[in-house]
Amino acid sequence: MVKFENVSKVYPDGTAAVKGLDLEIKEGEFVVFIGPSGCGKTTTLKMINRLAECTSGKIYVNGSDIATVDAVQLRRNIGYVIQETGLMPHITVGENIAVVPQLLKWNKKKIQNRVDELLEMAGLPPEKYKYRLPSQLSGGQKQRIGVLRGLAAEPDVVLMDEPFGALDPISRENLQNELMDLQKKLKKTIIFVTHDIDEALKLSDRIVLMRHGKVEQIGTPNELQNNPASEFVKNFIGQDRISQISPDDSVEVLVEESAINVLPNFLASSVLEQMENIGKESAQVVNKNGKWMGMALMQNVKKVSSRGGSIKEALIIDRKLYIEDATLRDAAEMLSAQPLPVPVIDKNDRFIGVVTGSGMARITMDRLKRKQIS
Ligand SMILES: Nc1ncnc2c1ncn2[C@@H]1O[C@H](COP(=O)(O)OP(=O)(O)OP(=O)(O)O)[C@@H](O)[C@H]1O
Ligand SMILES: [Mg+2]
């Protein structure tokens, strides 16, 4: 149904986001991509509907090489649910769900029935929610609408990028169950991205575990649990590690790649564009020897950009943690004071990575879940 042949993606700034991906996804299969932040999951999804073009290799959907298919046509047959929901703010919930059916020129009655049916299914009574604007919904409700919109036109393939990330555990579990039922009934091919290993183990036929743009292991949940291909896989799956974490442990377990990582001589305007494109409020600035020069915040980048300066003029250097002695408690304090990534460096100022609020929330959530069980 979806086939990757030696697919790589290098962004114009030189970031190699995906490296040599080979994978064949069968019709009706539920495949989950998982891996640390920045490992290339979203990029992989976006290449399937050509929101990102691959730099080399080939992707086939339903037997056709997608490079030869009109991108707009291609997207009509592929449902897409994105990390930030992507609802259009100026039209109602009902109209948002109906976007693709409308493009496909379904008749009005069929569209209305479909919208009502989907809203019922997600536990949002149509008469109450259909005419609201997205701004009149909670974060979790918006995510549900995002999911419904992806399913609305009954596409053969549905791409879902962390669709349940912002939901509370109970709504999340409900929607997971609904999605599983739906997939059994409708035999959709679903390609799903998550950070949550429990979610991956529960939903998937196969898991693709990625790291630094490469596949670390592909296999069924059982294969990954019983035959991890590397120490990394073992750590990623075996969450006993996480249940044993204490606030005095090293910040090391939480360090992830930074979403935006640029050289000091980059123009502030180009960094600003990157930040806006991927919706990040900060960037890390690291010289070519790997030395951390500082962190740039959106408001400063804007100022420097407007006078044509380079990113090194927008740096702050007092927000940082040293890998040798910082604890999770230190990271939590900094994150709660200001909800932006905290750079982690070593005593020689070498850049190691960042600690983010969502990374911290994930650990907390895992600990809470384990408390409930025990
Ligand atoms: N438009 C872009 N231009 C340059 N680099 C980008 C762009 N979009 C993503 N990247 C980089 O490509 C790499 C992979 O990004 P991607 O969004 O695919 O990661 P991800 O696995 O989805 O991460 P997350 O779990 O945080 O959503 C990262 O290093 C990221 O900074
Ligand atoms: Mg992503």
Side-chain angles (χ1 to χ4, degrees), residues 147-355:
V147 172
L148 300 184
R149 189 181 51 171
L151 298 172
E154 299 173 347
D156 295 329
V157 179
V158 186
L159 312 176
M160 306 183 108
D161 196 344
E162 304 200 31
F164 307 148
L167 294 175
D168 63 276
I170 292 169
S171 316
R172 188 171 179 134
E173 196 162 342
N174 285 343
L175 271 198
Q176 286 171 347
N177 293 341
E178 272 164 25
L179 185 63
M180 272 170 35
D181 285 349
L182 210 74
Q183 200 241 0
K184 271 190 214 121
K185 251 192 322 224
L186 306 175
K187 289 276 165 234
K188 302 276 173 223
T189 306
I190 298 181
I191 309 176
F192 188 104
V193 169
T194 183
H195 265 110
D196 177 349
I197 187 70
D198 291 326
E199 185 166 80
L201 293 170
K202 173 175 174 180
L203 294 176
S204 69
D205 296 314
R206 278 193 301 164
I207 295 175
V208 181
L209 177 49
M210 291 181 78
R211 182 194 197 190
H212 302 321
K214 284 197 184 142
V215 170
E216 192 79 13
Q217 187 169 4
I218 300 179
T220 63
N222 276 336
E223 281 164 357
L224 265 75
Q225 282 173 294
N226 300 332
N227 282 315
S230 64
E231 219 28 48
F232 175 78
V233 178
K234 206 162 148 188
N235 286 335
F236 205 94
I237 305 281
Q239 292 209 342
D240 286 348
R241 199 178 49 113
I242 283 170
S243 60
Q244 289 159 10
I245 280 177
S246 101
D248 297 316
D249 285 351
S250 163
V251 73
E252 202 172 345
V253 291
L254 261 187
V255 175
E256 50 189 90
E257 276 184 74
S258 141
I260 306 183
N261 193 335
V262 296
L263 289 164
N265 60 354
F266 274 32
L267 276 178
S269 56
S270 79
V271 180
L272 181 62
E273 197 183 319
Q274 257 194 62
M275 292 169 95
E276 286 172 344
N277 276 344
I278 59 175
K280 302 280 178 193
E281 290 290 319
S282 64
Q284 300 301 323
V285 179
V286 179
N287 78 7
K288 61 181 193 307
N289 300 319
K291 184 174 172 193
W292 182 73
M293 310 303 290
M295 165 172 181
L297 305 186
M298 181 68 108
Q299 67 199 69
N300 296 341
V301 178
K302 276 191 177 147
K303 268 188 221 144
V304 176
S305 166
S306 66
R307 59 168 198 261
S310 64
I311 194 69
K312 62 173 176 281
E313 297 161 47
L315 299 182
I316 57 166
I317 54 165
D318 47 355
R319 184 180 176 82
K320 65 192 166 203
L321 289 169
Y322 287 101
I323 188 94
E324 290 89 350
D325 55 21
T327 64
L328 292 173
R329 180 178 288 114
D330 298 331
E333 274 167 10
M334 289 181 90
L335 286 167
S336 54
Q338 201 184 14
L340 287 171
V342 182
V344 178
I345 62 179
D346 71 9
K347 285 271 188 279
N348 301 317
D349 287 345
R350 205 166 53 91
F351 181 61
I352 312 284
V354 294
V355 173

